[in-house]
Amino acid sequence: MVDRLEQSKALSSKARVAILDWLREPYDHFAHQETGDPRDIGVCVKLITEKLNMAQPTVSRHLELLRRADFVTVNKIGRWSFFKRNEAGIAAYKEWLNEHL
């Protein structure tokens, strides 16, 4: 089971919330991705890094926290990592919030 406190902490960053928002409609924000359709394979870390205007290690840390919280999944293609929202994980967290708040 996912640690709900860790999930809540994952949402305590404007950058992480922005990432989740952008990944909701990835084509609207990352249509210029050349590797493949971001709706299908996810969004490359490089593009998320550029949009956040942060260092790549910082963005990777944000994405890892979101992955551990079960809010995103990673798709590795070659040496690149592509991230997508995990709608099932997000829905389970929302359900838990509704039950406990």
Side-chain angles (χ1 to χ4, degrees):
M1 178 164 157
V2 177
D3 183 333
R4 299 301 185 197
L5 182 57
E6 290 302 315
Q7 286 184 303
S8 297
K9 288 179 185 177
L11 297 176
S12 68
S13 162
K14 288 181 184 180
R16 291 190 291 272
V17 171
I19 291 167
L20 288 174
D21 187 43
W22 298 331
L23 293 181
R24 179 180 304 145
E25 297 293 339
Y27 196 78
D28 291 350
H29 300 279
F30 303 102
H32 60 288
Q33 179 170 282
E34 295 178 11
T35 306
D37 190 326
R39 294 170 292 199
D40 297 331
I41 66 170
V43 177
C44 182
V45 173
K46 181 179 184 275
L47 297 180
I48 297 170
T49 299
E50 290 170 359
K51 191 161 181 81
L52 282 172
N53 195 29
M54 293 181 173
Q56 190 273 328
T58 302
V59 174
S60 290
R61 176 73 176 141
H62 285 306
L63 290 166
E64 177 59 18
L65 290 170
L66 289 171
R67 188 197 62 77
R68 287 193 350 229
D70 204 29
F71 293 147
V72 299
T73 59
V74 63
N75 178 19
K76 296 210 181 238
I77 301 174
R79 63 185 183 126
W80 302 102
S81 295
F82 297 83
F83 288 83
K84 291 176 79 170
R85 281 173 55 112
N86 179 3
E87 297 300 341
I90 292 169
Y93 178 71
K94 287 179 180 179
E95 184 178 319
W96 176 83
L97 277 178
N98 284 332
E99 290 173 4
H100 293 88
L101 292 181

